[in-house]
Amino acid sequence: MITTITLNAAIDQVYEVDSLAVGGTNRVSTIIQEAGGKGINVAKVLKRSGADVTVGGFAGGINGERIRQLLLKKSIPSELIQVEGESRVCLTVLDSKKSKVTELLESGPEITKQEWQAMLNWIDEQSKSVKWFALSGSLPKGLPTTAYTELIDIINANGAKAILDSSGDALRNGIKAKPFAIKPNEFEIATILGKATVNETDLLDVGKRFVDDGVEHVCFSLGEKGAIFVNKDGYFKADAPKVEVVNTVGSGDAFVGGLLYGLANGEEPLEAYKRALACGSVNAMYSKIGFIDSQQVEELMGQITIIKL
């Protein structure tokens, strides 16, 4: 069993237009509506990979009920804590002609102290029976930047393992709790280091520091450039397989889903890394967010070579 946590769940609404006219009238050719938020996207990838997965987090209002219904349609069980505020809608506009993606993201509800305590109590009980967790996404209003730190501390104390995928202070503080794995991108690491940009040497140096501090797998996702991985055995690099890109939204979440599926099922780290890259690449081939085809994942895994640096 795997549990994914989405503290700021959403309805993902994808509109496809022939050519986006900013300031003009646009006619939508295709509409896709899904339950969303990074942890939910991870859960969708895990489900399509064949994993037994449950979704946790917060959901409120009419949108929250719709999120639950959309998860039920995909046969993904959820134990989302009811909150007073209204869950958000995230709109993605795909420009077919220019192959451009535009995102409009609502901020979501403000979480009260009582609602957060309910989450801490729930994660404590859940992590006594579930051994693998994905903690993904930004923090909703009302939560401290140490929110992931608190969750990881509880998960670790109960002998379970967490993969963290966030940004800014939420990521910086979460790393201090020693999650089993993290998946930052170049921008997120640059922010932590206080730099405008980072190079490969920066990534290797900070990756080693994180591993020395207790993070077992540091996975730097580099988009179309592939990924760099750091663990106790050294530094590893892989190029992304070449695919026809339709929509990259959710590819980072698919990467986490592939990584988590591999590690939870006892794959060797390098094999799990290949699965992560393959899942992220397959997601980019579709307009849906957090979508993979398992056969395509296996095919791409065979095309990925990981080298030790």
Side-chain angles (χ1 to χ4, degrees):
M1 169 68 79
I2 300 171
T3 295
T4 73
I5 304 297
T6 308
L7 298 178
N8 206 0
I11 295 173
D12 276 343
Q13 191 94 351
V14 181
Y15 286 167
E16 187 169 354
V17 298
D18 292 333
S19 180
L20 180 63
V22 178
T25 300
N26 294 274
R27 300 196 181 279
V28 178
S29 58
T30 305
I31 299 174
I32 299 172
Q33 188 181 75
E34 300 259 6
K38 292 178 72 63
I40 288 177
N41 294 337
V42 173
K44 288 186 284 189
V45 170
L46 286 165
K47 180 68 176 180
R48 290 194 61 84
S49 298
D52 186 7
V53 61
T54 298
V55 167
F58 296 117
I62 295 173
N63 289 340
E65 186 54 38
R66 181 59 178 158
I67 290 168
R68 292 182 177 90
Q69 292 173 358
L70 289 167
L71 286 169
L72 191 60
K73 283 181 65 176
K74 291 187 174 297
S75 300
I76 299 176
S78 66
E79 297 185 26
L80 295 163
I81 293 171
Q82 182 70 31
V83 296
E84 185 175 344
E86 185 75 36
S87 290
R88 60 189 179 138
V89 176
C90 294
L91 177 63
T92 299
V93 182
L94 302 180
D95 185 320
S96 300
K97 186 175 182 180
K98 298 178 182 177
S99 297
K100 295 287 187 180
V101 176
T102 301
E103 292 184 274
L104 300 173
L105 310 179
E106 295 181 3
S107 60
E110 183 167 352
I111 306 302
T112 67
K113 291 182 179 179
Q114 292 78 12
E115 290 163 350
W116 178 236
Q117 187 58 54
M119 169 57 67
L120 294 176
N121 295 341
W122 181 83
I123 206 78
D124 185 37
E125 287 302 313
Q126 190 78 353
S127 58
K128 290 173 182 175
S129 57
V130 175
K131 294 308 176 187
W132 292 91
F133 289 81
L135 310 178
S136 303
S138 61
L139 299 177
K141 293 178 291 184
L143 293 188
T145 59
T146 56
Y148 282 132
T149 314
E150 294 180 61
L151 295 179
I152 294 167
D153 281 342
I154 294 171
I155 290 168
N156 287 346
N158 287 329
K161 297 176 180 179
I163 293 180
L164 175 64
D165 179 21
S166 190
S167 60
D169 287 339
L171 174 62
R172 187 198 312 270
N173 291 327
I175 291 172
K176 296 175 183 178
K178 301 178 176 58
F180 186 72
I182 58 174
K183 188 214 68 69
N185 59 33
E186 293 169 285
F187 175 77
E188 290 159 356
I189 288 298
T191 300
I192 286 178
L193 296 179
K195 295 185 175 185
T197 60
V198 290
N199 57 32
E200 185 173 297
T201 300
D202 293 323
L203 295 178
L204 298 180
D205 288 345
V206 74
K208 184 179 186 305
R209 174 157 59 91
F210 291 152
V211 170
D212 289 344
D213 287 343
V215 179
E216 295 202 27
H217 299 277
V218 179
C219 309
F220 298 114
S221 59
L222 309 178
E224 63 183 14
K225 296 182 293 183
I228 289 174
F229 305 93
V230 185
N231 61 35
K232 63 181 177 59
D233 295 322
Y235 311 99
F236 304 88
K237 186 176 182 179
D239 292 329
K242 302 300 182 183
V243 299
E244 184 174 344
V245 175
V246 175
N247 180 15
T248 60
V249 177
S251 287
D253 306 325
F255 184 107
V256 172
L259 177 69
L260 184 49
Y261 181 84
L263 293 175
N265 282 279
E267 289 183 348
E268 291 297 320
L270 296 190
E271 194 71 5
Y273 298 164
K274 288 182 181 181
R275 185 174 299 279
L277 262 177
C279 284
S281 297
V282 171
N283 176 86
M285 297 166 61
Y286 294 91
S287 56
K288 293 180 180 180
I289 298 172
F291 179 85
I292 62 161
D293 178 278
S294 294
Q295 183 175 344
Q296 289 176 315
V297 169
E298 297 297 330
E299 291 172 356
L300 286 188
M301 286 178 66
Q303 301 173 25
I304 296 171
T305 299
I306 296 182
I307 61 172
K308 189 170 184 179
L309 299 176

